[in-house]
Amino acid sequence: FLSLVAEFCCGFFVLLILGNFWFLAVLYLLWLYLDWETPCAGGRRSQWVRSWTVWKYFREYFPIHLIKTSELNPNHNYLLGFHPHGVLVAGAFGNFCTDPPFKNLFPGLTPYLHIMPIWFGCPFFREYIMSAGMVSASKESVSHVLSNEGGGHASVIVIGGAEESLNAHPGSLTLNILKRKGFIKMALKHGAHLVPVFSFGENELFKQVANPKGSWLRNVQEKLQKIMGFALPLFHARGVFQYSFGLIPYRQPINTVVGSPIPVKQNLNPTTEEIDQLHALYLQKLKKLFEEHKSNYGIPAHRSLIFE
């Protein structure tokens, strides 16, 4: 969905340049230059955009639900690790970029969904995603959010990133996390409490062309990801009036469960050992969260998360 909107915005910008409104394009480029750092400085959210009625229907389509398991004290800052990435990341968008789900359950906390910096280079589209509460996933951006002295800020990071979307097959429970420790280091440096989040149903929205590791398709996808910075999963779902083929996601419930916070003491210069210890604890808490709730959402008892 976001890709389609981005393409439309880029196309509109090209039409301005080619048409009789080129001066508007020039003015916008000037604005883009002056405003370039905003996505790394907390963005520019709009309560009006986050409250659009269309997002209510978006959440009800699947439907999307946010489940609270523990209180999050607004006097602290938090780093929420979101899993899995899926193809659409619908749970992250529906719960953290629209109101009122998060605001009602966690009053006093402001969520910031961190996404790839490349999206903020898209004319006009960047204005929309910032208004929804999305900011850059750069280190500077995460630091800005977690540096709020009064607390009350929550960085939401999709830990598996684009690489994990290539594993987004229905029934898949594989998470790309063993080598991803940057978010742990950021939490330590800022003393931000870590919160594991698991979104049940995220991988059920699309069917992806078979791409097992070692296959020619997977090799091509991984090479393209390294070049472009984002993955290109080949997926399909349903159409508008039929269920056999199309790009509209299947209507599958998405239940995003927010776990209990892991207290983190600020450490400006954490050692590798300290990072590894906290990372291991995070994996333990994430697995526990999954095991405690999987039976509620149709996951067989013998299935468990796979970390790679």
Side-chain angles (χ1 to χ4, degrees), residues 2-156:
L2 290 180
S3 297
L4 291 175
V5 177
E7 290 175 8
F8 173 81
C9 290
C10 289
F12 179 70
F13 184 72
V14 171
L15 288 177
L16 287 180
I17 296 175
L18 298 179
N20 295 325
F21 301 97
W22 58 267
F23 61 95
L24 293 178
V26 173
L27 288 176
Y28 183 80
L29 286 175
L30 177 60
W31 162 256
L32 192 62
Y33 173 77
L34 296 174
D35 194 56
W36 190 254
E37 296 300 324
T38 300
C40 294
R44 187 170 45 247
R45 70 179 51 225
S46 164
Q47 189 60 42
W48 175 66
V49 172
R50 290 174 58 89
S51 301
W52 281 352
T53 302
V54 66
W55 303 135
K56 174 178 178 289
Y57 294 121
F58 174 81
R59 294 192 301 269
E60 291 178 351
Y61 171 80
F62 297 98
I64 296 175
H65 297 291
L66 187 65
I67 294 90
K68 175 182 178 179
T69 64
S70 178
E71 294 292 338
L72 297 182
N73 189 333
N75 293 326
H76 299 297
N77 292 320
Y78 297 89
L79 195 158
L80 278 61
F82 184 92
H83 313 269
H85 184 286
V87 172
L88 189 63
V89 205
F93 177 81
N95 287 310
F96 304 116
C97 295
T98 71
D99 284 330
F102 190 87
K103 182 170 65 174
N104 286 351
L105 289 179
F106 302 100
L109 280 182
T110 302
Y112 296 82
L113 179 60
H114 296 270
I115 64 175
M116 292 186 298
I118 189 174
W119 291 113
F120 296 97
C122 180
F124 301 115
F125 180 67
R126 69 188 296 275
E127 317 304 333
Y128 159 67
I129 56 179
M130 279 196 289
S131 66
M134 289 179 248
V135 291
S136 172
S138 67
K139 293 180 180 179
E140 295 78 11
S141 178
V142 177
S143 290
H144 180 88
V145 173
L146 297 181
S147 295
N148 188 41
E149 294 184 0
H153 282 189
S155 280
V156 183

